[in-house]
Amino acid sequence: MDFWSTPLGWTLITAGGILLVTVGILISLAFLLLADRKIWAGVQMRKGPNVVGPFGLLQSFADFFKFVLKEIVVPAGADKVIFLLAPLLTFILAFIAWAAIPFAPGWVISDLNVGILYIFAISSLGVYGIIMGGWASNSKYPFLGSLRSAAQMVSYEVSIGLVIINVILLAGTMNLTQIVTQQGGWIWNWFAFGGGLATWPTIVVMFPMAIIFFISALAETNRPPFDLPEAESELVAGYQVEYSSTPYLLFMIGEYANIVFMCALISLLFFGGWHPGFPTDFLNDWPEFVANLFYFLVFFTKIIFWFAMIAMVKAFVPRYRYDQLMRLGWKIFLPTSLVAVVIVAAWRVFAVGA
Amino acid sequence: MLTGIAFYLLAAVAVVGGLMVVTAKNPVHSVLWLILTFFSSAGLFVLLGAEFLAMLLVVVYVGAVAVLFLFVVMMLDVDFVRLREGYARYLPLAAIVAGILLAEMIMISLVVVQGGAAANAVTPAVATTDMTNVEAIGRVLYTDYVYIFQAAGIVLLIAMIGAIVLTLRHKPNVKRQKAHDQVNRDRKTAVEVKGATTGAGVSAEDLI
């Protein structure tokens, strides 16, 4: 055990953890992407991908090889370095945000004291991949697409930030592990339902905040009904027009990793993280690893639930118009979440037992 | 050891990035180098144990301010040849300003070194044991410095209102989306029935 506390051991164990999380997410993504298409197909009463492998399970891998084996086309007037850096940046940023996500008690790469703020900082960087990609393509359509996309992401980040502040106020900490620990026990301890019997009246504020967070997450990750940056039936593909092959694949993976990340975040902040919604005292007798595995599976189920919700929104809801999108972000979500911050802060200061 | 490696790596990246900001030919590249410099500085803050400040630096400067920089620089129609023209002309002035700044920084560093770095270290206003630096900053900011903090907030608010007042113009002949009016439109106000008898035919002038 002594070896693991030396710098070398620490480096090895951290690198191992990072590798485990990254590979785990990549493999999950392959199947979540398929699930996305299957759910979409199901709503439209189609079969969806069903040719490659049993039930089409290997479809994502077939797509992967198709992307990787194609030629990388770099436009003649493009700024080569930035053109290729942009998808890499999107990809990397989508993955380093996972560093602060606790999957189960103690199963976290870096248990930061400012975990939420770190996540917020990293997700605010995501906009660079898009701006750089659109600009470096040296073409008007990607550039306009990237401006639209960037404006959208910046707008909805504001409301996400304010919603997160509500959770921080209620939890009194920015450490994600502690935030989840506070939501243990029965289901009414989840922050979406007010965060415990002592603070139950905040459900009036917190439940709408969970909904706002979900909708803002859709806009932040450029998912339908807010997929205006891509809007395949209106624009070509927004900032990705000039991208092909592996760079395009990196953009796609980065986008999906962000979506799954948002699913994880809404589970952690509002829906109890790894807590199943009832007291888990029976786990005390179990070995620690098995108990953690149980918690991890609960968390994983929640992520999949939210992913399914996001996939179904894609199938159900027609696309927003750009001015409606901006109106929703700035004129509805921003004031609402700002008022919510005031109410929750007042609750924390003046209410009994808070 | 790891901290040392991290420090030299981040510091080197920050310095190189800073140099590239001024030497890069393309303004967009300059802004991107600037972002790298901000990011490395945030890393240095983390090494100092000031993780809250580090994250704020990333959120505010990299996530918001630099995005606007990048927007402006990308939208500008920059003529690179003309941009380089003034280089020789402004060089002496820039050298003087940079020289003064450098001299000031060296003087401050010398004073600090002579006094001993520890001598100038202010004792923390609040006990920092078992307290995250978010909490520590919050306790000082909202008690001792609350009026200054509020004043800063008001200044920012005024700046924001000023920016809105300067840029918001409603031209009378431009049609705008008004969600409220559009939603409240009903058949009575939106549809007008013109008298057209069956089988008689209608000329276009009657309908106008």
Side-chain angles (χ1 to χ4, degrees):
Chain A
M1 199 59 209
D2 205 21
F3 170 71
W4 297 116
S5 48
T6 62
L8 182 67
W10 180 85
T11 311
L12 281 177
I13 205 163
T14 311
I18 292 168
L19 204 66
L20 196 70
V21 170
T22 311
V23 171
I25 290 166
L26 278 173
I27 292 173
S28 317
L29 273 185
F31 293 105
L32 283 172
L33 229 154
L34 180 75
D36 189 29
R37 296 167 74 175
K38 281 281 191 186
I39 292 167
W40 198 15
V43 174
Q44 296 173 342
M45 291 201 267
R46 291 185 286 115
K47 278 187 188 300
N50 64 349
V51 177
V52 191
F55 312 110
L57 276 178
L58 300 176
Q59 179 67 44
S60 299
F61 297 96
D63 287 346
F64 171 77
F65 284 113
K66 191 188 83 177
F67 276 123
V68 170
L69 295 176
K70 281 189 173 183
E71 183 192 355
I72 299 175
V73 182
V74 181
D79 192 321
K80 273 203 190 66
V81 179
I82 297 182
F83 185 80
L84 295 176
L85 197 66
L88 274 175
L89 196 71
T90 306
F91 181 79
I92 293 167
L93 287 174
F95 277 87
I96 59 171
W98 285 90
I101 292 281
F103 294 93
W107 287 12
V108 51
I109 295 175
S110 177
D111 195 17
L112 288 171
N113 275 331
V114 286
I116 292 191
L117 216 53
Y118 168 78
I119 283 166
F120 189 61
I122 295 299
S123 75
S124 72
L125 295 182
V127 66
Y128 282 111
I130 287 168
I131 302 185
M132 282 161 68
W135 179 80
S137 300
N138 195 20
S139 162
K140 292 202 171 42
Y141 294 100
F143 185 53
L144 290 174
S146 76
L147 288 186
R148 277 169 72 132
S149 186
Q152 174 180 338
M153 290 173 86
V154 170
S155 308
Y156 277 84
E157 232 164 56
V158 182
S159 63
I160 282 195
L162 285 171
V163 171
I164 288 178
I165 288 176
N166 280 311
V167 178
I168 297 173
L169 281 173
L170 211 54
T173 173
M174 291 192 186
N175 183 311
L176 278 166
T177 309
Q178 285 175 21
I179 285 176
V180 177
T181 312
Q182 287 187 16
Q183 300 178 66
W186 290 103
I187 194 165
W188 49 77
N189 287 343
W190 294 1
F191 282 140
F193 306 119
L197 293 177
T199 58
W200 68 268
T202 50
I203 188 175
V204 183
V205 175
M206 292 311 285
F207 196 71
M209 282 304 110
I211 295 168
I212 287 185
F213 187 88
F214 179 70
I215 299 173
S216 300
L218 290 175
E220 176 82 4
T221 52
N222 299 331
R223 276 291 284 195
F226 305 108
D227 61 338
L228 292 144
E230 286 146 60
E232 70 278 349
S233 49
E234 298 166 21
L235 309 166
V236 194
Y239 60 94
Q240 306 171 340
V241 173
E242 305 289 349
Y243 281 91
S244 59
S245 182
T246 316
Y248 179 78
L249 179 72
L250 290 178
F251 265 131
M252 278 293 278
I253 296 179
E255 205 167 286
Y256 269 88
N258 265 330
I259 292 165
V260 182
F261 179 74
M262 281 298 173
C263 298
L265 202 57
I266 193 171
S267 316
L268 286 174
L269 294 181
F270 289 104
F271 295 93
W274 59 71
H275 290 296
F278 48 83
T280 49
D281 297 333
F282 61 91
L283 286 174
N284 293 341
D285 305 333
W286 297 13
E288 198 195 341
F289 181 78
V290 183
N292 276 356
L293 204 63
F294 172 80
Y295 284 130
F296 173 71
L297 285 177
V298 170
F299 183 47
F300 197 66
T301 314
K302 281 181 188 169
I303 293 180
I304 289 174
F305 171 78
W306 285 110
F307 189 81
M309 295 290 278
I310 287 184
M312 279 203 277
V313 169
K314 178 180 181 176
F316 291 160
V317 187
R319 183 176 296 133
Y320 260 55
R321 222 171 45 209
Y322 199 75
D323 65 296
Q324 291 174 330
L325 171 99
M326 283 298 167
R327 181 173 172 273
L328 186 71
W330 288 106
K331 292 191 178 172
I332 299 173
F333 282 179
L334 180 63
T336 313
S337 45
L338 202 57
V339 169
V341 169
V342 173
I343 293 173
V344 175
W347 171 265
R348 285 291 288 179
V349 174
F350 298 115
V352 186
Chain B
M1 186 182 78
L2 285 173
T3 322
I5 294 173
F7 170 76
Y8 284 110
L9 204 66
L10 288 168
V13 170
V15 170
V16 172
L19 277 174
M20 292 306 287
V21 173
V22 274
T23 51
K25 286 203 174 95
N26 192 330
V28 175
H29 291 182
S30 290
V31 178
L32 292 175
W33 282 113
L34 184 68
I35 292 160
L36 186 66
T37 312
F38 280 149
F39 204 75
S40 314
S41 322
L44 291 175
F45 271 127
V46 172
L47 288 182
L48 282 175
E51 65 248 18
F52 181 65
L53 280 180
M55 295 307 150
L56 278 195
L57 186 72
V58 175
V59 171
V60 175
Y61 281 93
V62 185
V65 174
V67 172
L68 293 179
F69 266 24
L70 207 54
F71 259 40
V72 172
V73 169
M74 280 178 179
M75 303 287 263
L76 281 178
D77 187 19
V78 186
D79 187 353
F80 298 127
V81 182
R82 273 192 58 198
L83 210 65
R84 308 295 291 177
E85 260 176 16
Y87 189 76
R89 194 150 54 88
Y90 294 124
L91 192 62
L93 187 67
I96 292 169
V97 173
I100 292 172
L101 273 176
L102 187 69
E104 279 178 352
M105 270 189 249
I106 290 174
M107 272 155 64
I108 291 171
S109 313
L110 282 178
V111 170
V112 172
V113 169
Q114 277 168 2
N120 282 19
V122 183
T123 45
V126 279
T128 48
T129 46
D130 290 338
M131 192 185 276
T132 61
N133 56 49
V134 184
E135 203 180 339
I137 289 175
R139 278 181 195 277
V140 181
L141 201 59
Y142 297 112
T143 51
D144 298 353
Y145 300 103
V146 65
Y147 295 116
I148 299 169
F149 180 73
Q150 294 287 344
I154 290 168
V155 169
L156 285 174
L157 182 69
I158 291 169
M160 196 170 80
I161 295 171
I164 292 170
V165 168
L166 286 175
T167 51
L168 190 70
R169 284 199 193 101
H170 283 292
K171 289 178 188 162
N173 52 353
V174 174
K175 283 191 178 175
R176 305 175 70 88
Q177 298 284 352
K178 288 174 186 157
H180 186 254
D181 293 356
Q182 287 166 352
V183 170
N184 283 332
R185 219 164 80 117
D186 62 355
R187 219 172 101 198
K188 275 182 193 152
T189 55
V191 181
E192 189 187 353
V193 182
K194 294 277 187 180
T197 44
T198 321
V202 176
S203 76
E205 287 91 50
D206 293 343
L207 292 178
I208 298 167

